[in-house]
Amino acid sequence: MTDLLGNYKLVLGLEIHIHVNTKQKMFCGCDANIYDAEPNTHTCPTCLGLPGALPVPNYEAVKKTQLLGLATDCQLNTNSKFDRKHYFYPDLSKGYQISQYKEPLCEHGKIVLSSGRIAEIERIHLEEDTAKSKHENGKTLIDFNKGGMPLMELVTTPCFSNIDDAVEFAKMVRDLARYLNISEADMEKGQMRIEPNISLRTAEMERLDELPPYKVEIKNINSFRFMEKAVKCEIVRQRGILETGLTPEQQNRGYDENKNVTVAQRSKEEAHDYRYFPEPDIPPMIFSEQYIEDIKKQLPELPAELAVRLATKYQLKETQIFELIKSENKDLVQKLEELASHNLDPVKVANLLLNKLEYRNLSTEAFIQQYNKDNETMDDADMLTQAVKKILAANTEIVDQYKNGKESVLNFLLGQVMRETKGKANPEITMQLIKELI
Ligand SMILES: [Zn+2]
């Protein structure tokens, strides 16, 4: 990446949008399972923005946003409210979007990355999604199913100085959303979208902690790979402009994955262009300290906490822990704990559950039976090796005779091992072992 940047340093922040998996849309009763639906079949006067229709906030979406806030070390605001954000675009039915500007639900969080560096979260707020436009044969078609879907937006500070950290962070947010059952966060279905904002500065500016006078936001990226590619080609573009002595324009751009370039969209608005004001149809939300305490209690054990517990309580290997803390492996952790409580070796059990699919569906009893059987043969192999080593050590002269070419002595050694193991050893395997160990 230093090649890409030349003498410049990267300043990168992320906005991550995630559909909250509620039953209904954000401010109306429409069914929120829109993903395979015919266009415009999940709409009503409220999400179409018809005159006189009133929004009613979806509490499930509020609570799930607060859960993500707690899981990312945010402060939950006791006073929060919705605001209107105005702009004109065909996919916005009311001419404004109900979002949160001042007093978002969550603020000032962080996630610790694997490098030990800290990704700072500025805020997590809740809003309604816009509709989806489709451009076809010179016409624009609009599907309002997506309009009014509950959408949480997580905004980081411009805290990333390399792409890998940013990608890792975005993946951690996705995993957390899944883990907490806040969203399936399937990027192909548009349930999660990433918007990196990018600018470059000199090493001197970095030293003085001075931000560049512009930033470029890349809209609606729907895969981690595209995010990485988009940031890289934006670095190259901005560096080209900076090296001619100019400053890149503050704007929104889109990523064209076919050409691997970013393309200018509209010039980026400042907050005052949106004419934010408090949404008059929704009263402010006030949360008591007691309420926040109660939500905290509902928070399950988080992946990072689980990782520590798996390491300290069961001494699992790092690679095992890495797999087990994934949201899709929740059931395996439960099984592991159950089996470990029956005095089975947790490392061996984790190994079987992760690597041998046939073990996953066994009942606890059947698992223990199979486990003991496997271990017996394992133990036998160990015992046999010990016996062979013992006989070889006790018969060094005979071993020397073999080494001098007298192969018939092998049978004598085999006989000795058979006697040692009281006839239990398998002669073929024993003979093989003798030849290996001699
Ligand atoms: Zn509706």
Side-chain angles (χ1 to χ4, degrees):
M1 207 177 81
T2 32
D3 289 352
L4 280 183
L5 283 161
N7 290 325
Y8 293 95
K9 303 285 178 186
L10 176 65
V11 180
L12 175 60
L14 296 179
E15 285 176 18
I16 300 178
H17 283 97
I18 295 176
H19 272 180
V20 190
N21 61 359
T22 54
K23 290 188 188 64
Q24 296 170 331
K25 287 191 183 178
M26 188 59 228
F27 297 113
C28 62
C30 285
D31 180 357
N33 187 9
I34 57 163
Y35 299 105
D36 295 307
E38 285 285 304
N40 296 310
T41 53
H42 291 235
T43 61
C44 72
T46 302
C47 57
L48 288 174
L50 301 184
L54 286 174
V56 177
N58 180 338
Y59 170 61
E60 200 187 348
V62 171
K63 191 178 135 188
K64 287 191 165 177
T65 305
Q66 290 175 317
L67 274 179
L68 186 68
L70 289 174
T72 52
D73 230 353
C74 284
Q75 291 167 21
L76 300 196
N77 284 328
T78 49
N79 289 285
S80 183
K81 65 176 167 59
F82 287 102
D83 297 287
R84 289 188 181 180
K85 177 182 182 180
H86 298 80
Y87 60 94
F88 184 74
Y89 206 70
D91 63 14
L92 195 62
S93 59
K94 299 188 285 290
Y96 60 84
Q97 178 188 28
I98 304 179
S99 179
Q100 295 196 282
Y101 179 46
K102 290 184 176 153
E103 304 183 332
L105 286 166
C106 321
E107 285 182 287
H108 312 305
K110 65 172 189 299
I111 287 184
V112 182
L113 303 172
S114 60
S115 61
R117 283 189 286 273
I118 288 172
E120 298 164 346
I121 296 165
E122 196 175 289
R123 55 193 277 139
I124 308 175
H125 69 250
L126 191 55
E127 59 189 25
E128 57 179 339
D129 203 354
T130 56
K132 187 168 155 187
S133 4
K134 196 172 166 193
H135 307 285
E136 224 173 63
N137 305 325
K139 288 184 181 150
T140 297
L141 304 169
I142 301 182
D143 173 7
F144 281 95
N145 284 351
K146 191 164 76 71
M149 284 291 284
L151 190 65
M152 62 168 77
E153 178 174 338
L154 180 153
V155 183
T156 73
T157 64
C159 58
F160 302 103
S161 55
N162 70 71
I163 305 173
D164 293 345
D165 280 357
V167 171
E168 183 189 351
F169 174 81
K171 286 184 177 169
M172 286 170 96
V173 170
R174 178 198 59 185
D175 292 347
L176 264 181
R178 289 180 179 169
Y179 195 85
L180 297 170
N181 188 26
I182 287 169
S183 175
E184 286 72 52
D186 183 338
M187 296 178 86
E188 277 181 24
K189 288 186 181 164
Q191 291 168 339
M192 173 167 165
R193 311 190 294 266
I194 306 175
E195 305 187 334
N197 53 71
I198 301 152
S199 50
L200 302 182
R201 62 181 169 185
T202 60
E204 175 68 2
M205 285 168 82
E206 186 177 69
R207 198 178 59 79
L208 296 170
D209 209 11
E210 203 176 288
L211 288 175
Y214 73 96
K215 67 179 175 188
V216 173
E217 193 168 310
I218 307 179
K219 305 300 282 183
N220 288 330
I221 294 190
N222 61 4
S223 91
F224 298 116
R225 200 166 53 88
F226 287 162
M227 169 180 155
E228 194 176 331
K229 291 174 92 171
V231 173
K232 281 185 180 164
C233 62
E234 188 53 26
I235 290 173
V236 173
R237 190 189 71 86
Q238 291 184 17
R239 181 182 160 192
I241 296 173
L242 288 164
E243 281 173 349
T244 63
L246 298 170
T247 304
E249 198 185 330
Q250 170 125 336
Q251 61 183 186
N252 287 345
R253 297 178 74 85
Y255 176 62
D256 181 335
E257 59 247 32
N258 296 318
K259 295 184 187 149
N260 192 30
V261 291
T262 63
V263 189
Q265 293 178 334
R266 49 192 166 130
S267 288
K268 180 143 174 65
E269 290 88 350
E270 297 289 340
H272 61 254
D273 295 330
Y274 289 125
R275 294 179 296 117
Y276 279 103
F277 67 72
E279 166 60 59
D281 291 334
I282 303 175
M285 295 175 280
I286 298 166
F287 304 102
S288 66
E289 296 291 346
Q290 184 58 48
Y291 166 85
I292 292 173
E293 282 310 308
D294 288 346
I295 295 236
K296 272 185 195 161
K297 283 183 201 141
Q298 291 173 37
L299 199 68
E301 184 180 41
L302 297 172
E305 295 163 350
L306 175 62
V308 171
R309 198 162 61 85
L310 292 177
T312 50
K313 188 168 174 191
Y314 300 117
Q315 278 88 43
L316 297 190
K317 295 176 194 154
E318 216 167 291
T319 47
Q320 296 179 321
I321 293 171
F322 180 77
E323 285 303 315
L324 285 169
I325 60 172
K326 289 183 181 168
S327 60
E328 65 264 29
N329 287 334
K330 257 186 192 173
D331 292 350
L332 296 189
V333 174
Q334 229 173 29
K335 265 206 165 132
L336 171 84
E337 303 214 65
E338 162 77 15
L339 291 160
S341 75
H342 286 87
N343 287 327
L344 269 50
D345 177 351
V347 175
K348 281 184 191 167
V349 172
N351 210 11
L352 292 171
L353 287 174
L354 287 169
N355 301 321
K356 300 211 166 161
L357 295 182
E358 66 268 25
Y359 272 85
R360 291 188 184 182
N361 297 320
L362 294 179
S363 67
T364 302
E365 273 173 27
F367 188 106
I368 295 175
Q369 231 170 28
Q370 188 61 36
Y371 173 96
N372 285 337
K373 222 195 250 171
D374 288 359
N375 266 351
E376 242 166 58
T377 30
M378 227 167 6
D379 290 346
D380 282 354
D382 274 354
M383 271 163 53
L384 185 59
T385 309
Q386 290 312 316
V388 171
K389 280 185 181 164
K390 187 177 167 189
I391 296 302
L392 293 180
N395 294 283
T396 45
E397 277 173 34
I398 309 250
V399 170
D400 284 342
Q401 287 178 23
Y402 171 76
K403 284 181 179 162
N404 291 327
K406 199 173 174 190
E407 290 205 14
S408 58
V409 297
L410 283 178
N411 284 323
F412 170 77
L413 292 170
L414 177 62
Q416 295 293 306
V417 175
M418 295 308 277
R419 219 169 82 179
E420 175 72 23
T421 60
K422 302 194 175 75
K424 278 188 199 155
N426 173 321
E428 276 173 42
I429 297 175
T430 308
M431 188 58 105
Q432 216 178 323
L433 261 176
I434 292 174
K435 285 181 188 167
E436 274 171 30
L437 294 171
I438 213 163

